[in-house]
Amino acid sequence: MDHFNYSGGRLHAEDVPLSRIADEVGTPVYVYSTATLTRHFLLFQQALDWTDHLICFAVKANSNLAVLKLLGDLGAGMDVVSGGEYARARAAGVPGGRIVFSGVGKTREEMRLAVEGGIRQFNVESEPELTLLSEVAASMGATVPIAVRVNPDVDAKTHAKIATGKSENKFGIPISRAREVYALAAKLPGLQVIGIDMHIGSQLTDLEPYRQAYTKMAQLCRVLRADGHPIMRLDMGGGLGIPYRRDNAAPPLPIEYGQVIRETVGDLGCEIEIEPGRNIVGNAGVLLSRVIYLKHGEGRDFLILDAAMNDLIRPAMYDAHHDIVPVIEPRTGAEVAPVDVVGPVCETGDTFARGAELPALGAGDLVAFRSAGAYGAVMASEYNSRPLVPEVLVAGDRFAVIRPRPSIEEMLARDVIPPWL
Ligand code: LLP
């Protein structure tokens, strides 16, 4: 459920008509709903209320400071994968003690930043990383809590580019080698082994891969404890999918996911961490765009929008589907006709949908891409020298620009022409 609905014939974000935002901020623009973000976060809280837990929002899904502050104020922790994300979480007011640091390629500088600023735990993904982290922490006179990310070799049954839990993926340490690596970790100075971490992929629409992975995690927890490691925390990763199509069977709910966690690892007495990104913010955002032209091609029509692949890369990159809906509610029984929805970028890949069944739309009309709150703005670029897409946050009948659109002058001002030119 989200808070983007038609009211009085116009699509609203909560109580704000999207057309008002388009008029005042311009298009394309991302629009997020506070009520939806809050609701989704609380659903995860509820799903884990049977145990001590921390929901660490995966900052990579949406890293706007306003979104992070909103979630942080609700009690969320943060899962970060770079020094930049760590700095964002801190700037949004989230204490270091609620931040976990994931990712396969943490640099010495990033480690230092997080050790200095405070960290809940590092999720370590390899032996060289373990050694480097030990060196950095020890040299700073610190002891940092760590979990080792274990790759359980399960098939997450999701898009190949976002599956992470198979042995051929670059992530984590093979579960078969976990004991060895924990033994090494326990010997190294500056490290305190406290948990196990896993993340098997993103946009999972089936709970079975989770059940398999978490069952392996429970077994491993027992083995590691028998080896003498004080495992007190389990980081279950993120990845629970969202409905991208209104007409499709909905993926499992957070409460059902929480139940799988309870059934598989619930008896171990560990504190539970999860790292959801998409499920909290995906359906809490839309990308609002205006039609520039309706172009009649040979045998097909093209709706050319002012949003492009640089603003929302998911269709081009993952063949992802986003429902595209008109902002003015079509009258009941309005005819629909297939149209290709495209952006202005000079690539055929700049196609959002082929043969989308839409009512008659023309220049100046507004459309919204649903489910665009996750991996939308964060993956945007300035390709074709299109200024970075702005973001707006709605709360009830209020809205605020939480990232303005840079002017063309601002965009150009970042480049430097060397003195010899
Ligand atoms: N934790 C770790 C270690 C991750 O690598 C990820 C996502 C998450 C948590 C959050 O997963 P989520 O709950 O959002 O599914 N750009 C792609 C998605 C990439 C996901 C990468 N890792 C997309 O647009 O579909």
Side-chain angles (χ1 to χ4, degrees):
M1 198 196 113
D2 61 41
H3 293 77
F4 297 94
N5 295 305
Y6 290 106
S7 164
R10 292 190 297 171
L11 189 61
H12 283 60
E14 302 189 21
D15 300 327
V16 181
L18 287 176
S19 51
R20 204 175 117 208
I21 296 176
D23 290 343
E24 290 183 28
V25 185
T27 51
V29 58
Y30 277 96
V31 181
Y32 309 126
S33 152
T34 300
T36 313
L37 280 163
T38 307
R39 181 186 134 80
H40 290 171
F41 177 75
L42 295 179
L43 286 177
F44 278 107
Q45 289 281 42
Q46 228 176 53
L48 294 178
D49 67 0
W50 51 272
T51 186
D52 270 358
H53 66 270
L54 184 67
I55 295 157
C56 296
F57 174 65
V59 172
K60 61 168 78 67
N62 188 315
S63 58
N64 190 289
L65 290 186
V67 170
L68 301 186
K69 174 149 193 341
L70 196 163
L71 293 171
D73 288 353
L74 290 170
M78 301 282 150
D79 167 52
V80 305
V81 292
S82 70
E85 286 192 355
Y86 178 85
R88 280 184 176 276
R90 292 307 311 272
V94 179
R98 275 201 261 143
I99 302 176
V100 302
F101 203 141
S102 303
V104 290
K106 304 174 195 80
T107 63
R108 184 186 293 271
E109 293 69 36
E110 289 176 322
M111 290 173 177
R112 287 194 73 91
L113 180 76
V115 174
E116 226 161 64
I119 191 82
R120 176 179 174 84
Q121 116 212 357
F122 280 91
N123 289 334
V124 176
E125 300 224 12
S126 66
E127 282 142 307
E129 183 192 337
L130 208 53
T131 322
L132 181 61
L133 182 61
S134 160
E135 194 187 306
V136 169
S139 75
M140 296 170 74
T143 301
V144 293
I146 64 143
V148 174
R149 177 164 174 185
V150 173
N151 186 326
D153 194 23
V154 301
D155 184 355
K157 298 187 202 144
T158 183
H159 191 284
K161 283 188 189 162
I162 53 176
T164 55
K166 285 289 284 172
S167 55
E168 70 251 31
N169 302 131
K170 69 180 172 184
F171 300 98
I173 278 165
I175 197 156
S176 54
R177 296 202 36 242
R179 288 178 79 185
E180 235 179 282
V181 176
Y182 273 89
L184 169 67
K187 275 199 281 228
L188 290 172
L191 306 181
Q192 181 202 1
V193 173
I194 49 105
I196 310 175
D197 171 46
M198 264 186 195
H199 171 78
I200 58 173
S202 193
Q203 186 55 16
L204 271 73
T205 52
D206 180 358
L207 291 176
E208 212 36 48
Y210 281 125
R211 190 180 294 281
Q212 284 170 22
Y214 297 165
T215 302
K216 290 188 178 187
M217 193 182 210
Q219 285 158 0
L220 179 64
C221 178
R222 292 195 178 90
V223 171
L224 292 177
R225 280 179 172 172
D227 285 350
H229 303 289
I231 304 296
M232 290 136 48
R233 228 182 246 170
L234 299 177
D235 183 335
M236 324 300 290
L240 188 63
I242 61 168
Y244 276 102
R245 293 174 194 265
R246 298 280 129 164
D247 51 355
N248 259 21
L253 300 170
I255 195 86
E256 299 168 289
Y257 172 64
Q259 204 46 40
V260 171
I261 297 179
R262 187 175 195 165
E263 285 163 18
T264 49
V265 302
D267 61 340
L268 294 165
C270 285
E271 188 181 0
I272 301 296
E273 287 167 356
I274 55 171
E275 303 169 350
R278 189 191 315 264
N279 208 291
I280 290 180
V281 77
N283 281 326
V286 298
L287 171 62
L288 183 60
S289 174
R290 209 179 275 281
V291 177
I292 308 177
Y293 301 114
L294 173 65
K295 173 173 171 176
H296 299 294
E298 220 170 313
R300 57 199 321 136
D301 287 343
F302 297 96
L303 205 56
I304 305 176
L305 304 183
D306 65 1
M309 64 191 289
N310 69 293
D311 305 307
L312 178 64
I313 192 81
R314 303 195 66 259
M317 193 152 172
Y318 313 108
D319 302 313
H321 169 91
H322 287 264
D323 279 349
I324 302 169
V325 294
V327 165
I328 300 296
E329 188 172 20
R331 49 184 171 73
T332 10
E335 255 180 59
V336 293
V339 63
D340 285 9
V341 184
V342 301
V345 160
C346 306
E347 288 199 33
T348 304
D350 188 22
T351 298
F352 292 117
R354 293 179 75 79
E357 297 284 338
L358 284 170
L361 290 167
D365 289 338
L366 290 167
V367 295
F369 290 80
R370 287 189 173 274
S371 315
Y375 307 109
V378 283
M379 295 181 80
S381 75
E382 292 178 341
Y383 186 40
N384 277 210
S385 286
R386 296 166 46 83
L388 215 52
V389 56
E391 296 169 277
V392 161
L393 181 67
V394 171
D397 59 3
R398 288 173 300 175
F399 74 88
V401 175
I402 56 172
R403 177 182 291 171
R405 187 190 317 277
S407 66
I408 289 184
E409 292 68 32
E410 282 165 328
M411 185 170 65
L412 300 193
R414 295 201 316 263
D415 291 6
V416 178
I417 298 179
W420 62 85
L421 279 182

